[in-house]
Amino acid sequence: MKKVFLTSVTIFLAFVVGLVCQGYSNAQETRGRAEQGSYGYERFDSSKKCRTCHKEIYNQYQNSAMAKSQILPWDQAEYFKLALPHTRLDSKVAPVEAGCINCHAPLAFMAGDIPPPPAGKADPKADGVSCEVCHTMVGFDGEVPVNGNFVLKPGKVKYGPRKDIKSSYHKSEYSEFHKSAELCGTCHNETSPYGAWVKETYQEWKKGPYGEANIRCMDCHEPPSRGKSAIMGKKRDDVAQHLFLGSYSQTWMNGSVVVAVYPKKSKIRPGETLKVQVVSVNQRAGHMIPTGSTEERQLWLHLEAKDAKGNIYHIKAPLAPGDTPDKSYSVATNKLAYKDLGYMMDIKDFKGIPRDALPEGDRLFRKIFLNPQGEETIAQWNAANTDVFDNRLSPLEARLENYEWKVPDDVAKGRLTITADINYRRLPQSVAALVGIGEVPVLDVAHDQVTIE
């Protein structure tokens, strides 16, 4: 009897474990990431075909960076003018020829269309991350999601987070994986050919308070709303809005960080030193900010004073922990940097470009990437060391900093307005000018001001 009981318990536990393991990888039977060239374009429907039934979701998706992940100006320039030429010069970085495409244009990777033609000349299915990529995804290969290790299973079955979906066009299958942050992590976690972590958005989320509370990527980037996911579908309270809003959106960035200014005195005389406390808070991002390709993304704090006659004075940031006067990573400078870009672009006697293209002395929140020569780089595939300096804002962190400014002797009497602005730019303007992609928008993130006498 005891033996029969133990056998029954063992079978029951095996059944339970089987159910749990099925959750994050319906892919176990098809374990193994699809190789480059495994499926042709014809194996996948175009996103326009999805529009027939999913009109509202398609409209949101097509206006997102997700739909344009391979054809946006910087993505085109970074790949065709920097990364691809670099792969022809250095065998160490050769894997990025296909590696970039694996996440930026997954169907081109699957079709073996490497490198794909430039934007406008490639198969339309190579423009970005299509509906089919996410909804034929069944898991990931390996222990952690990283470097595009997702597993696709193309066909008439589309996978999603609901159990009661019926479609006249395709079969639908419930997937626990589609309710997990691991799905996003397959491309938002990345290491360089040198083994350095260059994208850690998924890991930042998982280690932080949002991950601990199980507030997932899609809870913010695909927020639920009442409506229908398909024209023939039932009305629901939690239809995922396929907005994929992020750092391209002024609406999304505004208020992601807040700033507050606290002068130590309410009155000040010319010649005295004004002490100002500035608090910056990552109040909304469930990961570090900035995140993703942090070697190129700029989040900065500009502090200034304006006197009663309208004269403006720049209040420069103090050195952050880890900075030195000779090598300051967190204070904006226009010293020449990024020499490795000249090598990639075959520019003779290239001395570099202004590192930040910002007012010198502003506070930068950033993570530094160094190339094999120990120089700062904005080429993540050429990053050999990414553990040098990191002063970005963690989720829900309040960063307090003390500024000091000697008030000029000729400052106008009357009101003195202290203003703090936090702004965001996806790329230094100096880099954009080098690769010829025009002006990079500056997005307003936070603002505060106080007045003293």
Side-chain angles (χ1 to χ4, degrees):
M1 182 69 180
K2 185 175 180 181
K3 183 176 180 181
V4 172
F5 173 76
L6 289 175
T7 302
S8 301
V9 169
T10 302
I11 293 172
F12 173 74
L13 288 176
F15 173 73
V16 170
V17 170
L19 287 178
V20 172
C21 292
Q22 184 182 5
Y24 282 168
S25 196
N26 334 357
Q28 290 302 324
E29 2 179 300
T30 56
R31 190 77 169 174
R33 135 184 209 181
E35 298 296 328
Q36 177 183 335
S38 12
Y39 304 118
Y41 284 120
E42 72 281 354
R43 294 292 301 275
F44 300 92
D45 286 335
S46 72
S47 295
K48 286 185 178 179
K49 185 167 283 189
C50 305
R51 175 179 60 182
T52 305
C53 296
H54 304 279
K55 291 183 182 296
E56 292 183 5
I57 285 178
Y58 174 81
N59 186 52
Q60 294 171 352
Y61 158 79
Q62 73 163 344
N63 287 292
S64 73
M66 187 76 79
K68 305 167 186 173
S69 58
Q70 176 60 10
I71 62 173
L72 290 166
W74 168 235
D75 296 299
Q76 285 281 293
E78 186 177 31
Y79 183 69
F80 287 106
K81 293 185 177 182
L82 299 176
L84 196 57
H86 195 189
T87 65
R88 307 297 191 255
L89 298 169
D90 185 350
S91 61
K92 179 68 175 179
V93 300
V96 304
E97 176 183 11
C100 294
I101 301 306
N102 189 28
C103 278
H104 279 265
L107 298 190
F109 177 85
M110 295 298 163
D113 196 4
I114 306 293
K121 298 180 180 178
D123 188 297
K125 292 178 183 176
D127 285 350
V129 181
S130 70
C131 308
E132 284 276 89
V133 171
C134 291
H135 290 283
T136 63
M137 197 179 294
V138 291
F140 64 89
D141 184 35
E143 299 303 315
V144 295
V146 64
N147 289 351
N149 62 340
F150 49 78
V151 177
L152 301 188
K153 192 175 180 181
K156 277 294 182 183
V157 178
K158 312 303 175 192
Y159 300 89
R162 299 197 187 279
K163 298 180 179 179
D164 62 344
I165 296 295
K166 292 182 180 178
S167 167
S168 58
Y169 176 71
H170 59 75
K171 295 180 180 179
S172 300
E173 189 169 311
Y174 173 73
S175 163
E176 189 73 17
F177 183 62
H178 281 73
K179 297 171 72 174
S180 75
E182 279 79 1
L183 184 148
C184 308
T186 56
C187 278
H188 292 275
N189 250 7
E190 184 182 343
T191 58
S192 75
Y194 293 92
W197 281 98
V198 293
K199 284 192 184 75
E200 300 179 81
T201 306
Y202 167 78
Q203 293 186 158
E204 293 162 9
W205 165 83
K206 189 171 184 179
K207 294 173 183 175
Y210 286 71
E212 291 175 3
N214 198 32
I215 300 172
R216 306 157 303 164
C217 314
M218 52 279 290
D219 294 328
C220 293
H221 295 280
E222 293 181 90
S225 178
R226 182 160 177 76
K228 293 181 177 182
S229 59
I231 55 176
M232 74 292 285
K234 56 174 75 170
K235 198 163 247 187
R236 304 174 188 270
D237 292 329
D238 59 347
V239 175
Q241 304 302 296
H242 287 50
L243 308 175
F244 305 115
L245 289 176
S247 62
Y248 280 98
S249 167
Q250 172 65 78
T251 303
W252 196 250
M253 292 303 295
N254 187 248
S256 54
V257 174
V258 295
V259 66
V261 183
Y262 300 95
K264 296 292 183 71
K265 292 182 177 181
S266 59
K267 294 182 180 181
I268 194 78
R269 293 180 183 276
E272 292 183 345
T273 296
L274 176 65
K275 295 182 178 181
V276 181
Q277 197 173 76
V278 181
V279 182
S280 306
V281 187
N282 177 356
Q283 68 154 3
R284 205 171 70 194
H287 41 68
M288 304 288 276
I289 187 166
T291 190
S293 301
T294 55
E295 79 288 359
E296 66 195 38
R297 297 181 178 175
Q298 296 181 298
L299 184 75
W300 73 94
L301 167 63
H302 179 80
L303 191 68
E304 67 181 31
K306 183 178 181 180
D307 71 15
K309 289 185 178 180
N311 298 310
I312 295 176
Y313 305 90
H314 185 197
I315 304 176
K316 295 186 177 182
L319 294 177
D323 275 341
T324 66
D326 295 332
K327 185 173 283 187
S328 175
Y329 291 128
S330 77
V331 179
T333 178
N334 291 315
K335 291 180 179 178
L336 298 184
Y338 310 137
K339 289 175 63 177
D340 54 357
L341 300 185
Y343 172 66
M344 298 170 197
M345 298 180 71
D346 193 25
I347 302 174
K348 303 300 181 187
D349 301 319
F350 185 71
K351 305 298 183 186
I353 54 177
R355 191 188 74 178
D356 303 316
L358 291 171
E360 293 200 333
D362 279 357
R363 163 67 72 237
L364 288 165
F365 301 99
R366 63 200 300 247
K367 184 173 183 179
I368 300 301
F369 291 5
L370 299 183
N371 63 23
Q373 290 73 44
E375 304 164 333
E376 286 189 55
T377 183
I378 61 108
Q380 58 192 268
W381 62 90
N382 200 34
N385 186 355
T386 57
D387 293 323
V388 182
F389 180 87
D390 186 354
N391 74 326
R392 295 173 298 155
L393 297 170
S394 301
L396 302 180
E397 177 191 1
R399 179 78 53 78
L400 186 154
E401 296 189 282
N402 293 300
Y403 283 65
E404 292 188 1
W405 174 57
K406 186 177 180 181
V407 181
D409 292 332
D410 60 352
V411 70
K413 292 183 179 180
R415 289 189 173 183
L416 186 69
T417 303
I418 312 298
T419 301
D421 286 291
I422 294 182
N423 297 299
Y424 177 83
R425 188 166 62 186
R426 297 195 78 256
L427 183 71
Q429 187 58 51
S430 54
V431 178
L434 180 69
V435 297
I437 59 171
E439 187 173 351
V440 184
V442 173
L443 306 185
D444 300 324
V445 177
H447 172 85
D448 190 29
Q449 70 177 37
V450 295
T451 301
I452 63 175
E453 295 292 327

